[in-house]
Amino acid sequence: MNPLYDNLFGRHEGSAAPFLHLPSGDTITYGAFVERAARMGAALRAMGLNPGDRLAAQVEKSPDAVALFAACTSQGIILLPLNTAYTPAELDYFVTDSGARMLLADPAKADALGEVAAQSGARLETLGTQGDGTLAEATDAAAPAAPEPRGEQDLAAFLYTSGTTGRSKGAMLSQENLLSNARTLTDYWRFTDSDVLLHALPIFHTHGLFVAINVTLIAGGSMIFLPRFDVDAVLEALPRATSMMGVPTFYTRLLADERFTRDVGGHLRLYTSGSAPMLEETHHRFEQRIGQSILERYGMTETNMSTSNPYDGERRPGTVGFPLPGVELRICTPGTEDEVPTGETGMIEVRGPNVFQGYWQMPEKTADELRANGWFITGDLGTRDADGYVTIVGRDKDLVISGGYNIYPREVEQVIDAQPGVLESAVIGVPHPDMGEGLVAVIVPRPGETPDGAAIAAAVSTQLARFKQPRAYVTAPQLPRNTMGKVQKAELRREHADAFAGRAS
Ligand code: MLC
Ligand code: AMP
């Protein structure tokens, strides 16, 4: 028995039903996919990986990258998917912290990552998008491996999430966490084997990897598998799709294109949005143009999906709907377990089989956020109205969400503060028309010095992924502070609220 493998992959063995529709026009059947995954599992074992080992993967989106997830699940190897935008400096931390036994890289990046692998003692292998790379070649030559026996409490994946201190934490997700959520979402959103999901999300995060792919696998449907979100490619594929999942930027970009009409997108049975707040205005514009209401849901790396607007009932703009079946949600006065009255704002806490197992080798951080009684303190502030709809009203964590990617300002500030001429800095997120929020860095020079903005931006670009790099740098003689000495970021956000007004990107 290996519940996650059996339910997602194993039961499709030998099936001729379509699983992945590729831009080339080719379709990969379930049967062919499962067989490839079984061979890849054997190849990974032959490369020295055993159940419980971690495999850190920074690979581009491709059918083989999905097969990697299946192969790891089958062999009990813990997959640690990593954003393809991360620099070697960023990767170093994840590989070392997780104690990964293998670092799997895109063939084009193997040279740049050799040192990271060597320093951490991980074995470096490669996986490309065209059936290339050392792991793909070993897979071609391997005989299929049988799945390893596993239980629901065994770990399936580590997803690293940044933290307010700037140090990322590896969220440990069990088989049960993933499986229970996939089943719940499949039912709640009515996915079936006739669904064709337009998949344009990255597959190194919960949304693109677990929500989209696992729901498709449980339902037995297929996916139009695009390498990334590109408006032209999405418009071309929409007529063949029945459903699409996206972050709000997907929808604002589609609405900005006049080719996105009811004729092109009106026939889909479901559009979902999440990972970042969606403006009510976007909901209304979408409904007017396409004749459908986007279903907004709320989740987190640590909890998978927790709430959703209803499939049949009213999808209320600005809200994230109701707790999913089997998921408990409460709203407490921050710092306590006392629930606030209906309609009042408090800290959102979540409990259920969807909630992760803790942060890898960080018992104190785990204890800070995951109560012994199972409630997870999300860091999101919200309210629940008399009808039960939950609304996220803000965050009690210094987090910026840009185009669905999380950025913890502390990490960026640490890099800026280390540059010549900089006394200190504050990085804030302000409204951005394309990404939802965009980063502004407010820099305080050392007395008598004039930091070189271009040099700072260049230094930042060598250390941090592009999406974490501020889009605007401004200087200020000092940062606003309260009487406790804490930087008043809300004040800075107000001051710079228009930094990106009118900008298309
Ligand atoms: C790319 N760039 C970004 C960015 N994505 N900058 C800020 N924020 C982002 N999210 C950079 C590019 O490197 C490029 O830099 C410039 O911005 C413009 O690039 P682009 O071509 O316009 O961007 P694109 O590649 O189209 O990517 C935008 C996007 C993508 C929104 C399509 O970021 C995306 O797919 N986001 C989805 C994220 C996601 O799946 N999150 C789920 C997390 S799970 P330059 O300067 O080189 O041009 C989670 C739980 C839950 O949160 O509830 O789901
Ligand atoms: P991550 O840590 O990348 O999984 O991001 C999770 C965070 O994204 C949550 O804690 C929320 O702050 C935010 N989020 C996800 N979905 C929504 C949504 N529908 N509305 C508002 N915020 C959301």
Side-chain angles (χ1 to χ4, degrees), residues 327-355:
V327 176
E328 291 175 273
L329 182 144
R330 68 183 187 185
I331 301 181
C332 297
T333 304
T336 76
E337 290 198 68
D338 304 330
E339 291 193 50
V340 300
T342 301
E344 289 191 13
T345 299
M347 171 65 69
I348 298 179
E349 298 194 4
V350 172
R351 181 163 77 174
N354 53 317
V355 173

PDB file of all heavy atoms in Angstrom, residues 327-355:
ATOM      1  N   VAL A 327     -12.499  20.705   6.959  1.00  0.00           N
ATOM      2  CA  VAL A 327     -11.536  21.711   7.431  1.00  0.00           C
ATOM      3  C   VAL A 327     -12.247  22.622   8.435  1.00  0.00           C
ATOM      4  O   VAL A 327     -13.339  23.115   8.165  1.00  0.00           O
ATOM      5  CB  VAL A 327     -11.005  22.566   6.258  1.00  0.00           C
ATOM      6  CG1 VAL A 327     -10.078  23.662   6.763  1.00  0.00           C
ATOM      7  CG2 VAL A 327     -10.295  21.682   5.231  1.00  0.00           C
ATOM      8  N   GLU A 328     -11.616  22.810   9.597  1.00  0.00           N
ATOM      9  CA  GLU A 328     -12.189  23.728  10.578  1.00  0.00           C
ATOM     10  C   GLU A 328     -11.474  25.069  10.462  1.00  0.00           C
ATOM     11  O   GLU A 328     -10.260  25.113  10.251  1.00  0.00           O
ATOM     12  CB  GLU A 328     -11.959  23.210  11.991  1.00  0.00           C
ATOM     13  CG  GLU A 328     -12.722  21.961  12.360  1.00  0.00           C
ATOM     14  CD  GLU A 328     -12.295  21.494  13.743  1.00  0.00           C
ATOM     15  OE1 GLU A 328     -11.306  20.734  13.831  1.00  0.00           O
ATOM     16  OE2 GLU A 328     -12.925  21.915  14.729  1.00  0.00           O
ATOM     17  N   LEU A 329     -12.219  26.137  10.619  1.00  0.00           N
ATOM     18  CA  LEU A 329     -11.618  27.474  10.570  1.00  0.00           C
ATOM     19  C   LEU A 329     -12.208  28.297  11.707  1.00  0.00           C
ATOM     20  O   LEU A 329     -13.411  28.238  11.959  1.00  0.00           O
ATOM     21  CB  LEU A 329     -11.924  28.125   9.221  1.00  0.00           C
ATOM     22  CG  LEU A 329     -11.322  29.511   8.981  1.00  0.00           C
ATOM     23  CD1 LEU A 329     -10.908  29.666   7.520  1.00  0.00           C
ATOM     24  CD2 LEU A 329     -12.297  30.632   9.353  1.00  0.00           C
ATOM     25  N   ARG A 330     -11.336  29.019  12.419  1.00  0.00           N
ATOM     26  CA  ARG A 330     -11.845  29.928  13.447  1.00  0.00           C
ATOM     27  C   ARG A 330     -11.072  31.239  13.364  1.00  0.00           C
ATOM     28  O   ARG A 330      -9.964  31.291  12.806  1.00  0.00           O
ATOM     29  CB  ARG A 330     -11.726  29.304  14.834  1.00  0.00           C
ATOM     30  CG  ARG A 330     -10.300  29.130  15.318  1.00  0.00           C
ATOM     31  CD  ARG A 330     -10.251  28.435  16.680  1.00  0.00           C
ATOM     32  NE  ARG A 330      -8.883  28.419  17.192  1.00  0.00           N
ATOM     33  CZ  ARG A 330      -8.520  27.810  18.305  1.00  0.00           C
ATOM     34  NH1 ARG A 330      -9.397  27.134  19.029  1.00  0.00           N
ATOM     35  NH2 ARG A 330      -7.252  27.858  18.718  1.00  0.00           N
ATOM     36  N   ILE A 331     -11.680  32.271  13.898  1.00  0.00           N
ATOM     37  CA  ILE A 331     -11.061  33.599  13.851  1.00  0.00           C
ATOM     38  C   ILE A 331     -10.907  34.079  15.287  1.00  0.00           C
ATOM     39  O   ILE A 331     -11.902  34.218  16.014  1.00  0.00           O
ATOM     40  CB  ILE A 331     -11.917  34.559  13.005  1.00  0.00           C
ATOM     41  CG1 ILE A 331     -12.032  33.976  11.578  1.00  0.00           C
ATOM     42  CG2 ILE A 331     -11.291  35.945  12.969  1.00  0.00           C
ATOM     43  CD1 ILE A 331     -12.813  34.800  10.602  1.00  0.00           C
ATOM     44  N   CYS A 332      -9.651  34.257  15.693  1.00  0.00           N
ATOM     45  CA  CYS A 332      -9.367  34.529  17.106  1.00  0.00           C
ATOM     46  C   CYS A 332      -8.730  35.895  17.298  1.00  0.00           C
ATOM     47  O   CYS A 332      -8.081  36.433  16.392  1.00  0.00           O
ATOM     48  CB  CYS A 332      -8.383  33.487  17.648  1.00  0.00           C
ATOM     49  SG  CYS A 332      -9.019  31.814  17.619  1.00  0.00           S
ATOM     50  N   THR A 333      -8.876  36.405  18.494  1.00  0.00           N
ATOM     51  CA  THR A 333      -8.112  37.588  18.880  1.00  0.00           C
ATOM     52  C   THR A 333      -6.642  37.191  18.812  1.00  0.00           C
ATOM     53  O   THR A 333      -6.249  36.192  19.418  1.00  0.00           O
ATOM     54  CB  THR A 333      -8.480  37.994  20.329  1.00  0.00           C
ATOM     55  OG1 THR A 333      -9.891  38.193  20.387  1.00  0.00           O
ATOM     56  CG2 THR A 333      -7.749  39.253  20.751  1.00  0.00           C
ATOM     57  N   PRO A 334      -5.822  37.936  18.052  1.00  0.00           N
ATOM     58  CA  PRO A 334      -4.425  37.530  17.892  1.00  0.00           C
ATOM     59  C   PRO A 334      -3.729  37.301  19.234  1.00  0.00           C
ATOM     60  O   PRO A 334      -3.953  38.040  20.203  1.00  0.00           O
ATOM     61  CB  PRO A 334      -3.800  38.707  17.137  1.00  0.00           C
ATOM     62  CG  PRO A 334      -4.929  39.296  16.364  1.00  0.00           C
ATOM     63  CD  PRO A 334      -6.132  39.129  17.247  1.00  0.00           C
ATOM     64  N   GLY A 335      -2.964  36.234  19.297  1.00  0.00           N
ATOM     65  CA  GLY A 335      -2.238  35.919  20.528  1.00  0.00           C
ATOM     66  C   GLY A 335      -3.048  35.109  21.513  1.00  0.00           C
ATOM     67  O   GLY A 335      -2.547  34.729  22.568  1.00  0.00           O
ATOM     68  N   THR A 336      -4.327  34.861  21.190  1.00  0.00           N
ATOM     69  CA  THR A 336      -5.176  34.079  22.087  1.00  0.00           C
ATOM     70  C   THR A 336      -5.904  32.999  21.285  1.00  0.00           C
ATOM     71  O   THR A 336      -5.810  32.970  20.067  1.00  0.00           O
ATOM     72  CB  THR A 336      -6.272  34.949  22.750  1.00  0.00           C
ATOM     73  OG1 THR A 336      -7.294  35.192  21.772  1.00  0.00           O
ATOM     74  CG2 THR A 336      -5.726  36.273  23.250  1.00  0.00           C
ATOM     75  N   GLU A 337      -6.637  32.173  22.036  1.00  0.00           N
ATOM     76  CA  GLU A 337      -7.496  31.196  21.356  1.00  0.00           C
ATOM     77  C   GLU A 337      -8.962  31.605  21.489  1.00  0.00           C
ATOM     78  O   GLU A 337      -9.858  30.788  21.320  1.00  0.00           O
ATOM     79  CB  GLU A 337      -7.267  29.792  21.929  1.00  0.00           C
ATOM     80  CG  GLU A 337      -5.910  29.217  21.573  1.00  0.00           C
ATOM     81  CD  GLU A 337      -5.838  27.706  21.753  1.00  0.00           C
ATOM     82  OE1 GLU A 337      -6.503  26.978  20.988  1.00  0.00           O
ATOM     83  OE2 GLU A 337      -5.130  27.265  22.667  1.00  0.00           O
ATOM     84  N   ASP A 338      -9.199  32.874  21.794  1.00  0.00           N
ATOM     85  CA  ASP A 338     -10.574  33.352  21.961  1.00  0.00           C
ATOM     86  C   ASP A 338     -11.135  33.785  20.617  1.00  0.00           C
ATOM     87  O   ASP A 338     -10.567  34.676  19.962  1.00  0.00           O
ATOM     88  CB  ASP A 338     -10.610  34.556  22.912  1.00  0.00           C
ATOM     89  CG  ASP A 338      -9.972  34.206  24.248  1.00  0.00           C
ATOM     90  OD1 ASP A 338     -10.040  33.016  24.627  1.00  0.00           O
ATOM     91  OD2 ASP A 338      -9.373  35.116  24.876  1.00  0.00           O
ATOM     92  N   GLU A 339     -12.241  33.177  20.244  1.00  0.00           N
ATOM     93  CA  GLU A 339     -12.834  33.540  18.960  1.00  0.00           C
ATOM     94  C   GLU A 339     -13.505  34.910  19.040  1.00  0.00           C
ATOM     95  O   GLU A 339     -14.129  35.247  20.054  1.00  0.00           O
ATOM     96  CB  GLU A 339     -13.848  32.475  18.533  1.00  0.00           C
ATOM     97  CG  GLU A 339     -13.152  31.169  18.177  1.00  0.00           C
ATOM     98  CD  GLU A 339     -14.059  30.191  17.463  1.00  0.00           C
ATOM     99  OE1 GLU A 339     -14.714  30.581  16.480  1.00  0.00           O
ATOM    100  OE2 GLU A 339     -14.107  29.027  17.895  1.00  0.00           O
ATOM    101  N   VAL A 340     -13.379  35.673  17.967  1.00  0.00           N
ATOM    102  CA  VAL A 340     -14.002  37.003  17.937  1.00  0.00           C
ATOM    103  C   VAL A 340     -15.463  36.836  17.492  1.00  0.00           C
ATOM    104  O   VAL A 340     -15.797  35.851  16.824  1.00  0.00           O
ATOM    105  CB  VAL A 340     -13.256  37.967  16.979  1.00  0.00           C
ATOM    106  CG1 VAL A 340     -11.821  38.156  17.403  1.00  0.00           C
ATOM    107  CG2 VAL A 340     -13.342  37.486  15.522  1.00  0.00           C
ATOM    108  N   PRO A 341     -16.319  37.803  17.833  1.00  0.00           N
ATOM    109  CA  PRO A 341     -17.717  37.709  17.381  1.00  0.00           C
ATOM    110  C   PRO A 341     -17.808  37.814  15.852  1.00  0.00           C
ATOM    111  O   PRO A 341     -16.920  38.377  15.210  1.00  0.00           O
ATOM    112  CB  PRO A 341     -18.384  38.921  18.035  1.00  0.00           C
ATOM    113  CG  PRO A 341     -17.458  39.381  19.102  1.00  0.00           C
ATOM    114  CD  PRO A 341     -16.076  38.968  18.693  1.00  0.00           C
ATOM    115  N   THR A 342     -18.889  37.275  15.319  1.00  0.00           N
ATOM    116  CA  THR A 342     -19.162  37.352  13.872  1.00  0.00           C
ATOM    117  C   THR A 342     -18.980  38.782  13.375  1.00  0.00           C
ATOM    118  O   THR A 342     -19.437  39.723  14.016  1.00  0.00           O
ATOM    119  CB  THR A 342     -20.620  36.903  13.612  1.00  0.00           C
ATOM    120  OG1 THR A 342     -20.749  35.591  14.098  1.00  0.00           O
ATOM    121  CG2 THR A 342     -20.975  36.940  12.127  1.00  0.00           C
ATOM    122  N   GLY A 343     -18.305  38.917  12.258  1.00  0.00           N
ATOM    123  CA  GLY A 343     -18.157  40.247  11.656  1.00  0.00           C
ATOM    124  C   GLY A 343     -16.929  40.997  12.137  1.00  0.00           C
ATOM    125  O   GLY A 343     -16.560  42.017  11.565  1.00  0.00           O
ATOM    126  N   GLU A 344     -16.278  40.491  13.193  1.00  0.00           N
ATOM    127  CA  GLU A 344     -15.084  41.203  13.673  1.00  0.00           C
ATOM    128  C   GLU A 344     -13.819  40.551  13.134  1.00  0.00           C
ATOM    129  O   GLU A 344     -13.803  39.371  12.803  1.00  0.00           O
ATOM    130  CB  GLU A 344     -15.089  41.249  15.203  1.00  0.00           C
ATOM    131  CG  GLU A 344     -16.166  42.205  15.668  1.00  0.00           C
ATOM    132  CD  GLU A 344     -16.102  42.543  17.143  1.00  0.00           C
ATOM    133  OE1 GLU A 344     -15.075  42.238  17.786  1.00  0.00           O
ATOM    134  OE2 GLU A 344     -17.097  43.094  17.630  1.00  0.00           O
ATOM    135  N   THR A 345     -12.782  41.361  13.088  1.00  0.00           N
ATOM    136  CA  THR A 345     -11.524  40.895  12.492  1.00  0.00           C
ATOM    137  C   THR A 345     -10.646  40.194  13.526  1.00  0.00           C
ATOM    138  O   THR A 345     -10.558  40.627  14.669  1.00  0.00           O
ATOM    139  CB  THR A 345     -10.754  42.105  11.909  1.00  0.00           C
ATOM    140  OG1 THR A 345     -11.579  42.692  10.908  1.00  0.00           O
ATOM    141  CG2 THR A 345      -9.438  41.678  11.291  1.00  0.00           C
ATOM    142  N   GLY A 346     -10.005  39.139  13.094  1.00  0.00           N
ATOM    143  CA  GLY A 346      -9.060  38.441  13.973  1.00  0.00           C
ATOM    144  C   GLY A 346      -8.128  37.583  13.145  1.00  0.00           C
ATOM    145  O   GLY A 346      -8.118  37.643  11.907  1.00  0.00           O
ATOM    146  N   MET A 347      -7.360  36.765  13.872  1.00  0.00           N
ATOM    147  CA  MET A 347      -6.389  35.881  13.221  1.00  0.00           C
ATOM    148  C   MET A 347      -7.089  34.609  12.730  1.00  0.00           C
ATOM    149  O   MET A 347      -7.802  33.957  13.488  1.00  0.00           O
ATOM    150  CB  MET A 347      -5.320  35.514  14.252  1.00  0.00           C
ATOM    151  CG  MET A 347      -4.363  34.434  13.816  1.00  0.00           C
ATOM    152  SD  MET A 347      -3.350  34.952  12.437  1.00  0.00           S
ATOM    153  CE  MET A 347      -2.331  36.178  13.258  1.00  0.00           C
ATOM    154  N   ILE A 348      -6.865  34.272  11.484  1.00  0.00           N
ATOM    155  CA  ILE A 348      -7.472  33.045  10.944  1.00  0.00           C
ATOM    156  C   ILE A 348      -6.629  31.847  11.373  1.00  0.00           C
ATOM    157  O   ILE A 348      -5.411  31.826  11.181  1.00  0.00           O
ATOM    158  CB  ILE A 348      -7.548  33.096   9.408  1.00  0.00           C
ATOM    159  CG1 ILE A 348      -8.434  34.262   8.972  1.00  0.00           C
ATOM    160  CG2 ILE A 348      -8.055  31.769   8.841  1.00  0.00           C
ATOM    161  CD1 ILE A 348      -8.560  34.425   7.480  1.00  0.00           C
ATOM    162  N   GLU A 349      -7.298  30.871  11.987  1.00  0.00           N
ATOM    163  CA  GLU A 349      -6.642  29.613  12.341  1.00  0.00           C
ATOM    164  C   GLU A 349      -7.379  28.476  11.631  1.00  0.00           C
ATOM    165  O   GLU A 349      -8.596  28.538  11.439  1.00  0.00           O
ATOM    166  CB  GLU A 349      -6.673  29.399  13.864  1.00  0.00           C
ATOM    167  CG  GLU A 349      -5.925  30.497  14.611  1.00  0.00           C
ATOM    168  CD  GLU A 349      -5.659  30.139  16.072  1.00  0.00           C
ATOM    169  OE1 GLU A 349      -5.988  29.000  16.489  1.00  0.00           O
ATOM    170  OE2 GLU A 349      -5.110  30.994  16.790  1.00  0.00           O
ATOM    171  N   VAL A 350      -6.616  27.449  11.262  1.00  0.00           N
ATOM    172  CA  VAL A 350      -7.171  26.359  10.463  1.00  0.00           C
ATOM    173  C   VAL A 350      -6.740  25.033  11.074  1.00  0.00           C
ATOM    174  O   VAL A 350      -5.613  24.901  11.549  1.00  0.00           O
ATOM    175  CB  VAL A 350      -6.640  26.460   9.005  1.00  0.00           C
ATOM    176  CG1 VAL A 350      -7.039  25.250   8.202  1.00  0.00           C
ATOM    177  CG2 VAL A 350      -7.150  27.730   8.331  1.00  0.00           C
ATOM    178  N   ARG A 351      -7.655  24.051  11.050  1.00  0.00           N
ATOM    179  CA  ARG A 351      -7.314  22.714  11.549  1.00  0.00           C
ATOM    180  C   ARG A 351      -7.958  21.659  10.659  1.00  0.00           C
ATOM    181  O   ARG A 351      -9.063  21.850  10.164  1.00  0.00           O
ATOM    182  CB  ARG A 351      -7.831  22.555  12.986  1.00  0.00           C
ATOM    183  CG  ARG A 351      -7.503  21.211  13.600  1.00  0.00           C
ATOM    184  CD  ARG A 351      -7.654  21.250  15.095  1.00  0.00           C
ATOM    185  NE  ARG A 351      -9.065  21.206  15.507  1.00  0.00           N
ATOM    186  CZ  ARG A 351      -9.466  21.106  16.779  1.00  0.00           C
ATOM    187  NH1 ARG A 351      -8.564  21.068  17.760  1.00  0.00           N
ATOM    188  NH2 ARG A 351     -10.737  21.087  17.086  1.00  0.00           N
ATOM    189  N   GLY A 352      -7.255  20.568  10.441  1.00  0.00           N
ATOM    190  CA  GLY A 352      -7.837  19.491   9.633  1.00  0.00           C
ATOM    191  C   GLY A 352      -6.749  18.629   9.023  1.00  0.00           C
ATOM    192  O   GLY A 352      -5.554  18.876   9.226  1.00  0.00           O
ATOM    193  N   PRO A 353      -7.163  17.634   8.239  1.00  0.00           N
ATOM    194  CA  PRO A 353      -6.198  16.717   7.642  1.00  0.00           C
ATOM    195  C   PRO A 353      -5.322  17.381   6.590  1.00  0.00           C
ATOM    196  O   PRO A 353      -4.342  16.800   6.132  1.00  0.00           O
ATOM    197  CB  PRO A 353      -7.084  15.639   6.993  1.00  0.00           C
ATOM    198  CG  PRO A 353      -8.400  16.304   6.779  1.00  0.00           C
ATOM    199  CD  PRO A 353      -8.553  17.310   7.880  1.00  0.00           C
ATOM    200  N   ASN A 354      -5.708  18.606   6.216  1.00  0.00           N
ATOM    201  CA  ASN A 354      -4.939  19.375   5.231  1.00  0.00           C
ATOM    202  C   ASN A 354      -3.727  20.068   5.841  1.00  0.00           C
ATOM    203  O   ASN A 354      -2.829  20.507   5.121  1.00  0.00           O
ATOM    204  CB  ASN A 354      -5.851  20.442   4.602  1.00  0.00           C
ATOM    205  CG  ASN A 354      -6.545  21.308   5.644  1.00  0.00           C
ATOM    206  OD1 ASN A 354      -7.026  20.795   6.654  1.00  0.00           O
ATOM    207  ND2 ASN A 354      -6.576  22.602   5.439  1.00  0.00           N
ATOM    208  N   VAL A 355      -3.710  20.201   7.173  1.00  0.00           N
ATOM    209  CA  VAL A 355      -2.663  21.003   7.830  1.00  0.00           C
ATOM    210  C   VAL A 355      -1.357  20.210   7.957  1.00  0.00           C
ATOM    211  O   VAL A 355      -1.354  19.058   8.404  1.00  0.00           O
ATOM    212  CB  VAL A 355      -3.146  21.498   9.214  1.00  0.00           C
ATOM    213  CG1 VAL A 355      -2.015  22.179   9.968  1.00  0.00           C
ATOM    214  CG2 VAL A 355      -4.323  22.448   9.046  1.00  0.00           C
TER     215      VAL A 355
END
